[in-house]
Amino acid sequence: MMAAIDLDEIQAARATIEEPVLVLSRVERRYREGERFLEVLRGADLAIHAGETVALIAPSGAGKSTLLHVAGLLERPDGGEIHLGGVATGSLSDADRTRLRRMEIGFVYQFHHLLPEFTALENVMLPQMIRGLKRKEASERARQLLSYMRLQEREAHRPSEMSGGEQQRVAIARAVANVPRLLLADEPTGNLDPKTAHYVFDALQALVKASGLAALIATHNMDIAERMDRRITLEEGKIVEM
Ligand code: ADP
Ligand code: MG
């Protein structure tokens, strides 16, 4: 006799097979160089799951920033497809790509890009208010994030009144202020001394693990890369696991 199919069991199993937050499939990106094309990404494949930190390590000029820009929907690929939270992005309009980016992705750069005339608290509030949150809700969440980054004493400071490590921690708090699913960071500790870099990375890692974010972080710091879940590099425009 055939065993009965247990639908509950199948559904439970399905729920545990989680879709990756970010999927790159055969992604291509080329730049025009006079008469010729510079092929930067030549069929890059990658999948990153929620709660996973992935280090991107490759020499200067290999295409790390290009990969982050394309994955972050800041640039369109010349070929291939990018899925973000299960959504195929290739056929979306520019306006929809921007909306999806604002909702799902946080960026951290090597230089913090904080607004100099605003305090730490206001810098973390602003993206939330742009998204439509009330001032009170935005300031509550900004306070929580800054205290999570151990910056409660710096709320009222402007960027010029903070150290490099503090500025970067504010930038990380700002990047996750709208509860994105994906964090993309381009050499976020590249401008810091080794001790500060570790401190900032620890804060970032704790935040990723606590919030279940997926994170792709370009770095030259091998100590930091070793502490992520996976390491990848770019070889001839393709992604290779290390
Ligand atoms: P990385 O971040 O690994 O240093 P990039 O992604 O910035 O590398 O650059 C990869 C290659 O693409 C480099 O040779 C760079 O000069 C070139 N490149 C990057 N952006 C552009 C652009 N907008 N136009 C033309 N060439 C570019
Ligand atoms: Mg770069």
Side-chain angles (χ1 to χ4, degrees), residues 14-25 45-52 54 82-89 104 181-182 212-215 230:
R14 269 202 192 130
T16 62
I17 304 169
E18 231 186 290
E19 198 165 358
V21 172
L22 175 70
V23 179
L24 268 56
S25 314
D45 290 310
L46 177 66
I48 307 181
H49 286 83
E52 195 178 29
V54 179
I82 294 151
H83 284 82
L84 186 63
V87 176
T89 61
E104 306 279 33
R181 286 205 238 198
L182 175 67
L213 269 165
R230 270 162 65 201

Side-chain angles (χ1 to χ4, degrees), residues 17-110:
I17 304 169
E18 231 186 290
E19 198 165 358
V21 172
L22 175 70
V23 179
L24 268 56
S25 314
R26 318 288 315 150
V27 166
E28 296 167 22
R29 184 72 177 119
R30 59 187 70 89
Y31 296 113
R32 186 179 273 286
E33 269 199 333
E35 297 288 280
R36 305 186 42 180
F37 282 101
L38 177 67
E39 307 277 348
V40 181
L41 303 177
R42 306 178 178 203
D45 290 310
L46 177 66
I48 307 181
H49 286 83
E52 195 178 29
T53 51
V54 179
L56 172 59
I57 312 146
S60 190
K64 301 181 295 298
S65 297
T66 302
L67 182 76
L68 290 168
H69 291 157
V70 170
L73 312 182
L74 289 165
E75 286 180 30
R76 279 187 191 270
D78 296 302
E81 178 63 291
I82 294 151
H83 284 82
L84 186 63
V87 176
T89 61
S91 55
L92 296 180
S93 67
D94 285 345
D96 283 343
R97 285 165 58 89
T98 299
R99 209 167 298 135
L100 194 62
R101 184 172 65 241
R102 287 207 180 126
M103 213 154 65
E104 306 279 33
I105 307 176
F107 289 93
V108 181
Y109 299 95
Q110 182 172 358

Side-chain angles (χ1 to χ4, degrees), residues 2-225:
M2 245 167 67
I5 294 169
D6 186 340
L7 287 176
D8 285 345
E9 203 170 280
I10 290 171
Q11 290 214 309
R14 269 202 192 130
T16 62
I17 304 169
E18 231 186 290
E19 198 165 358
V21 172
L22 175 70
V23 179
L24 268 56
S25 314
R26 318 288 315 150
V27 166
E28 296 167 22
R29 184 72 177 119
R30 59 187 70 89
Y31 296 113
R32 186 179 273 286
E33 269 199 333
E35 297 288 280
R36 305 186 42 180
F37 282 101
L38 177 67
E39 307 277 348
V40 181
L41 303 177
R42 306 178 178 203
D45 290 310
L46 177 66
I48 307 181
H49 286 83
E52 195 178 29
T53 51
V54 179
L56 172 59
I57 312 146
S60 190
K64 301 181 295 298
S65 297
T66 302
L67 182 76
L68 290 168
H69 291 157
V70 170
L73 312 182
L74 289 165
E75 286 180 30
R76 279 187 191 270
D78 296 302
E81 178 63 291
I82 294 151
H83 284 82
L84 186 63
V87 176
T89 61
S91 55
L92 296 180
S93 67
D94 285 345
D96 283 343
R97 285 165 58 89
T98 299
R99 209 167 298 135
L100 194 62
R101 184 172 65 241
R102 287 207 180 126
M103 213 154 65
E104 306 279 33
I105 307 176
F107 289 93
V108 181
Y109 299 95
Q110 182 172 358
F111 298 97
H112 56 77
H113 296 305
L114 295 171
L115 296 171
E117 65 272 36
F118 290 98
T119 64
L121 190 75
E122 289 164 343
N123 266 284
V124 182
M125 286 170 65
L126 275 168
Q128 301 176 73
M129 293 179 68
I130 289 168
R131 205 181 152 187
L133 251 71
K134 297 237 158 50
R135 191 170 188 70
K136 187 162 169 290
E137 294 166 303
S139 79
E140 262 167 33
R141 176 155 170 85
R143 283 219 163 81
Q144 282 171 1
L145 281 169
L146 288 175
S147 90
Y148 196 88
M149 300 305 276
R150 305 221 186 110
L151 286 166
Q152 57 272 40
E153 313 283 296
R154 296 287 178 276
E155 278 179 12
H157 290 229
R158 295 213 164 83
S160 63
E161 300 158 349
M162 290 184 279
S163 69
E166 288 170 344
Q167 291 168 354
Q168 259 333 45
R169 280 182 287 146
V170 176
I172 293 165
R174 179 187 53 181
V176 300
N178 281 334
V179 204
R181 286 205 238 198
L182 175 67
L183 183 71
L184 298 173
D186 202 348
E187 306 188 27
T189 61
N191 192 34
L192 304 173
D193 64 79
K195 205 169 150 229
T196 309
H198 270 267
Y199 189 77
V200 169
F201 176 73
D202 285 343
L204 191 153
Q205 176 100 315
L207 191 66
V208 168
K209 293 298 171 188
S211 58
L213 269 165
L216 176 59
I217 303 169
T219 183
H220 285 299
N221 187 321
M222 283 312 282
D223 291 339
I224 283 175

